[in-house]
Amino acid sequence: MIKVGVFGASGRVGKLIIEDLKNSEGMQLAAVYARRELDFAIEPSVLVTSDMATLLSASDVVIDFSLPEACEKLLEAALKNPKPLVIGTTGLSTHQLNLLKEASEAMPVLYATNMSLGVALLNKLVAQASQALRDFDIEIVEMHHRHKKDAPSGTALTLAESAAKARDLDLDKVRVSGRDGNIGERSRDEIAVMALRGGDIVGRHTVGFYNDGEFIELNHTATSRNTFSKGAIRAAAWLVKQPEGLYSISDCLGL
Ligand code: NAD
């Protein structure tokens, strides 16, 4: 049995991971990290702790869906007590991403801004289209629920990165995150990534390729958060068998 620890257990995705683990063969929920008392019932056999070292010691693999600041603390604790880590938290800063890379030198770390199979494939399709349709303007729109804290979504940024890389562009130089006022014409290489927020939308991403006379739009819609929790559990089962290193969801899915 693979013992799984959950960090961010009381969150929207964390709670689903706890539920989905009940039906995951060969895996068991061993420990959850909680700063305060949990507001939901949990099996008495599960260790509930507010100490990250204890969470790591009690787990074969830890799944994190929290906040960037919290993820940073987890990475720091894991550097002292290495364990396979599945990181789903988005909006990480450059410092936090560097910490994640440092951690991956001492333990296997899978970092995915989107754990769904569909988005993993979408990233491949976007790279292919970006390269094949060199003259097409690329624009990305994402929509999420009103509670989402980071913008644009980690998924949209990953898609933009795939598109930019396929054209040998530096995303930091070509990304546009808003247009307002008399800003002039669109430049050739810019890639806009726009974020809309509202209601309970789980996640919708559209990557459009626009030219004179035709356009293609690649769409992905997540209709349930279980897509992410099940994907993270699948990733955890795969990651425990890997040596130290930094992995993506595509590595896990063999895409
Ligand atoms: P949420 O706000 O519902 O949950 C956040 C969790 O983090 C809660 O359990 C909260 O208690 C915990 N937390 C907050 N601050 C903490 C701290 N200082 N120390 C320890 N724990 C702390 O959020 P959510 O919708 O479950 O999303 C969590 C993260 O996962 C976000 O970054 C979101 O963008 C990301 N996300 C990723 C995917 C993916 O597939 N990779 C999918 C959905 C959401």
Side-chain angles (χ1 to χ4, degrees), residues 56-173:
L56 288 158
S57 299
S59 315
D60 295 325
V61 53
V62 171
I63 303 179
D64 157 62
F65 279 81
S66 60
L67 287 181
E69 312 81 75
C71 176
E72 180 176 334
K73 297 271 177 319
L74 177 67
L75 290 166
E76 283 166 356
L79 277 165
K80 292 183 205 137
N81 188 353
K83 274 291 153 80
L85 299 176
V86 173
I87 306 288
T89 300
T90 62
L92 300 186
S93 66
T94 306
H95 167 67
Q96 289 154 351
L97 286 171
N98 285 338
L99 201 58
L100 191 138
K101 281 185 200 128
E102 191 187 331
S104 73
E105 285 161 22
M107 65 204 93
V109 178
L110 186 144
Y111 174 53
T113 52
N114 196 306
M115 298 282 172
S116 91
L117 172 61
V119 167
L121 181 65
L122 181 62
N123 267 299
K124 301 270 168 199
L125 296 175
V126 163
Q128 201 182 345
S130 174
Q131 201 169 34
L133 309 173
R134 286 252 168 203
D135 293 335
F136 287 52
D137 300 328
I138 303 174
E139 301 270 326
I140 300 175
V141 180
E142 58 100 335
M143 299 177 73
H144 279 87
H145 54 91
R146 64 169 73 92
H147 303 292
K148 184 160 178 63
K149 296 188 178 72
D150 54 318
S153 70
T155 304
L157 290 173
T158 305
L159 289 165
E161 191 63 58
S162 300
K165 220 168 139 188
R167 288 188 184 179
D168 296 320
L169 296 171
D170 178 351
L171 184 63
D172 289 340
K173 296 206 175 99

Side-chain angles (χ1 to χ4, degrees), residues 13-27:
V13 182
K15 278 183 179 148
L16 292 177
I17 291 173
I18 292 173
E19 276 314 300
D20 288 338
L21 274 170
K22 290 180 187 158
N23 304 315
S24 302
E25 218 178 297
M27 309 194 74

